[in-house]
Amino acid sequence: MSKIEKTIARQQEKYHSLHLPFPHSSSPPTLFPRHYPPRFPAIPISTDLPARISEGAYYEAHQQLRVIASRYVKQENWPAAIDILHGGALALLKAGQGGSGGDLGLFLVDVLEKGEVQLEGGVRGKLLAILRAFPPGEPTKKRFVDEMMTWSAKFGEYQNGDPEVHHVAGTLYAEDCEPYEAERHLALGTKDSPEQLAKVEYEWYTQDDSHTAALYAARAVFPYLLTGNLRSANKALLIFNSRLTSSNKSLGVQEVSSTSSDIRVFPSLPLLNFLSLLLLAIQRGGSDLFRQLAKHYAPHIKEVGMWDDALAQIGEMYFGIKIPRQGNPLFDMMGSMLFGGSGGSPKPSTPKAKPKKVEAAPPPPVDLD
């Protein structure tokens, strides 16, 4: 446990919550802590704020909550600031005040950043409760999600942001029919995310021509592969193909089995077959097989016109096939003369990245013979 976590834990032991009556609610959110650690002087708090919110005095309540939270921030009383902003944001969002509630949510993330609060279950739960309370279409929601992800990447375990927060955000975006945002977060989510992402892509595909199935399946498969998550890529494609066959009884499909693997072959959808074979090739790890696949399906891949970069990255990540680096011959020659190397200029130093974590380890190699 870090120093700040220990400090917060000690402070929270000295707290107990004061639940204020909310009309028509048996379990209202706790807005204000009752007691504070001795080093923090008591701050006068109007106990009628919940009533003011229920009466519709949203602006007044919002401003008072900001003032009180700002005083706690000035004292560096992070737990008290977190509690009051969490409760206030929830109360306003549930009252339909997306702008005011979202503003307090953003203030809360700023407090977490300033207080260098580490990501743990309690804080995550507060943030997710606020996220779920946003009304559909509220503009502040996207900014709240993005800033929450930035904080979780800085003070959490994962350099791309907390997977559980990604999963919840992606699921909510999917429910709001925002597939691009849903993709962005579900690709970095939990072990449950591939099922949700496959569902998003399939529902999106049903609005397009029948021969475009592989284009939507790839939108689930490629992001997982490019983040090193082979298991989720396999799961997403399996679910997509299952939905495809169950919803299209007339679609031709052949089951191909070996001693160690089973795949579905769609004679009318060659690129969907390519994705299945690509995943098998990655499990086997043979660069020759990857090259054969790319060559065999080259006309279809060329017709798509948007897979080249992703496949080049996959070839380098999983098969050790280096991506050709284009350079200027004259520039390279001058770089060799001036700097004693083959590049045009000294390579700038880059900050050391945090160790990368993925949601799940790849499955063991599969014998395709």
Side-chain angles (χ1 to χ4, degrees):
M1 182 181 290
S2 67
K3 182 177 180 181
I4 184 118
E5 288 174 324
K6 292 178 181 178
T7 302
I8 292 173
R10 286 197 301 268
Q11 292 177 350
Q12 288 177 335
E13 288 175 358
K14 300 175 183 178
Y15 280 55
H16 70 268
S17 298
L18 174 62
H19 290 272
L20 301 173
F22 269 59
H24 314 297
S25 175
S26 58
S27 57
T30 300
L31 284 182
F32 317 116
R34 173 186 269 180
H35 296 303
Y36 308 101
R39 75 183 184 90
F40 298 124
I43 293 176
I45 298 176
S46 174
T47 58
D48 68 344
L49 277 176
R52 300 296 292 157
I53 292 175
S54 65
E55 292 169 359
Y58 306 123
Y59 178 79
E60 178 185 345
H62 172 241
Q63 293 302 308
Q64 288 187 37
L65 287 165
R66 282 195 65 91
V67 168
I68 296 166
S70 296
R71 292 174 181 172
Y72 286 133
V73 170
K74 188 174 182 179
Q75 294 179 349
E76 297 187 1
N77 188 347
W78 311 118
I82 291 169
D83 285 346
I84 196 169
L85 288 171
H86 165 247
L90 273 183
L92 287 167
L93 288 170
K94 290 178 179 179
Q97 300 302 299
S100 296
D103 176 70
L104 294 184
L106 291 169
F107 194 172
L108 171 56
V109 177
D110 185 56
V111 167
L112 296 174
E113 177 85 18
K114 289 179 178 177
E116 299 183 356
V117 179
Q118 300 296 311
L119 191 154
E120 46 82 25
V123 175
R124 182 194 291 114
K126 286 180 169 64
L127 292 172
L128 292 182
I130 292 173
L131 177 58
R132 291 187 177 102
F134 272 94
E138 168 54 44
T140 317
K141 177 180 177 179
K142 185 178 185 301
R143 183 182 167 196
F144 175 74
V145 171
D146 290 345
E147 294 194 11
M148 180 170 51
M149 289 304 175
T150 300
W151 164 77
S152 73
K154 187 174 182 180
F155 295 99
E157 191 176 0
Y158 295 84
Q159 66 177 6
N160 290 320
D162 184 64
E164 187 174 342
V165 178
H166 274 300
H167 177 74
V168 173
T171 301
L172 292 174
Y173 278 127
E175 293 173 357
D176 292 343
C177 298
E178 297 187 48
Y180 291 112
E181 292 298 326
E183 286 178 330
R184 187 163 69 95
H185 292 288
L186 291 172
L188 297 170
T190 68
K191 60 182 177 61
D192 298 319
S193 297
E195 181 174 1
Q196 182 65 49
L197 182 54
K199 179 181 176 182
V200 168
E201 302 300 353
Y202 186 79
E203 292 300 324
W204 203 0
Y205 156 67
T206 59
Q207 303 172 35
D208 206 337
D209 296 331
S210 60
H211 68 275
T212 62
L215 303 184
Y216 292 90
R219 295 183 73 94
V221 172
F222 287 165
Y224 284 129
L225 290 180
L226 293 173
T227 54
N229 197 339
L230 178 58
R231 179 175 297 174
S232 290
N234 275 290
K235 184 177 180 180
L237 183 60
L238 176 63
I239 293 171
F240 185 95
N241 287 348
S242 296
R243 292 176 68 91
L244 181 65
T245 53
S246 63
S247 301
N248 299 272
K249 301 298 183 182
S250 61
L251 180 65
V253 59
Q254 301 171 2
E255 301 286 344
V256 178
S257 301
S258 69
T259 57
S260 56
S261 62
D262 300 302
I263 64 171
R264 292 171 177 171
V265 175
F266 300 89
S268 62
L269 300 170
L271 285 179
L272 205 54
N273 302 329
F274 170 77
L275 293 176
S276 296
L277 294 172
L278 173 63
L279 294 178
L280 288 176
I282 290 173
Q283 294 174 57
R284 182 170 181 174
S287 59
D288 290 341
L289 180 55
F290 175 74
R291 288 190 175 96
Q292 291 173 14
L293 280 175
K295 182 177 180 181
H296 180 77
Y297 287 95
H300 302 288
I301 295 172
K302 184 178 180 180
E303 186 177 347
V304 172
M306 63 180 74
W307 286 10
D308 292 345
D309 289 342
L311 291 175
Q313 293 288 340
I314 290 169
E316 187 169 75
M317 285 179 63
Y318 294 96
F319 303 102
I321 301 173
K322 297 297 183 182
I323 299 175
R325 313 294 181 186
Q326 295 183 353
N328 185 310
L330 178 60
F331 193 72
D332 290 343
M333 181 183 69
M334 293 298 294
S336 179
M337 293 172 59
L338 295 174
F339 303 111
S342 59
S345 61
K347 187 174 181 179
S349 61
T350 56
K352 188 175 181 180
K354 294 166 62 177
K356 186 173 185 178
K357 282 203 169 190
V358 296
E359 178 268 322
V366 176
D367 186 0
L368 302 181
D369 297 331

